[in-house]
């Protein structure tokens, strides 16, 4: 997936109802190594929101680099990130057919098309 610099990305996944408290707790204290890896991969302004009526997690982020595929491959190779995904993937249910987990051939989180953007004045 070719992503231009300063591209916003939105992704969704289901959160298992039994994992809500644990998911929120681990995200209240994300491991420094995971955050450092995201920063090295040019991911900024990253947030995950939860919509309880649909058990839906909604992630938004900006990518400021120039080679998205390469940067995401580096994220997937990071040992801290791999351990993080092992912990959090079990709390989630992918909406992507054939997905088996984060970092796999098939994306774990489903990409959502942007249909409107208003930047406003800085």
């Amino acid at each position: 997936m070719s992503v231009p610099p300063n591209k916003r990305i939105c992704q969704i996944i289901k959160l298992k109802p039994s994992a809500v408290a644990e998911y929120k707790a681990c995200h209240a204290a994300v491991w420094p190594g995971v955050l450092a890896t995201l920063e090295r991969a040019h991911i900024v302004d990253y947030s995950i929101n939860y919509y309880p009526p649909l058990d839906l997690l909604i992630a938004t982020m900006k990518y400021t680099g120039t080679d998205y595929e390469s940067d995401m491959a580096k994220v997937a190779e990071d040992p801290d990130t791999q351990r993080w995904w092992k912990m959090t993937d079990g709390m989630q249910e992918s909406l992507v057919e054939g997905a088996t987990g984060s970092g796999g051939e098939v994306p774990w989180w489903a990409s959502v098309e942007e249909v409107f953007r208003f930047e406003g004045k800085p």
Side-chain angles (χ1 to χ4, degrees), residues 13 16 26-27 37 53 64 74 113 117 120:
I13 199 163
K16 294 177 181 177
C26 70
H27 281 82
T37 298
T64 62
K74 291 173 188 170
E113 178 185 5
R117 178 190 301 194

Side-chain angles (χ1 to χ4, degrees), residues 41-122:
H42 311 285
I43 298 295
V44 299
D45 196 16
Y46 186 7
S47 64
I48 300 174
N49 297 280
Y50 176 55
Y51 184 65
L54 296 178
D55 298 316
L56 194 64
L57 294 172
I58 305 156
T60 59
M61 66 195 86
K62 290 181 184 175
Y63 175 72
T64 62
T66 58
D67 189 343
Y68 184 77
E69 289 83 5
S70 175
D71 285 333
M72 294 306 100
K74 291 173 188 170
V75 170
E77 293 167 1
D78 176 68
D80 283 340
T81 301
Q82 291 173 358
R83 288 188 309 114
W84 181 264
W85 286 344
K86 186 174 181 177
M87 176 180 65
T88 59
D89 281 6
M91 301 178 208
Q92 304 163 340
E93 295 176 14
S94 181
L95 298 168
V96 180
E97 187 174 332
T100 58
S102 295
E105 284 287 315
V106 177
W108 185 238
W109 286 65
S111 293
V112 179
E113 178 185 5
E114 180 178 87
V115 296
F116 176 77
R117 178 190 301 194
F118 175 69
E119 295 284 340
K121 296 180 183 178

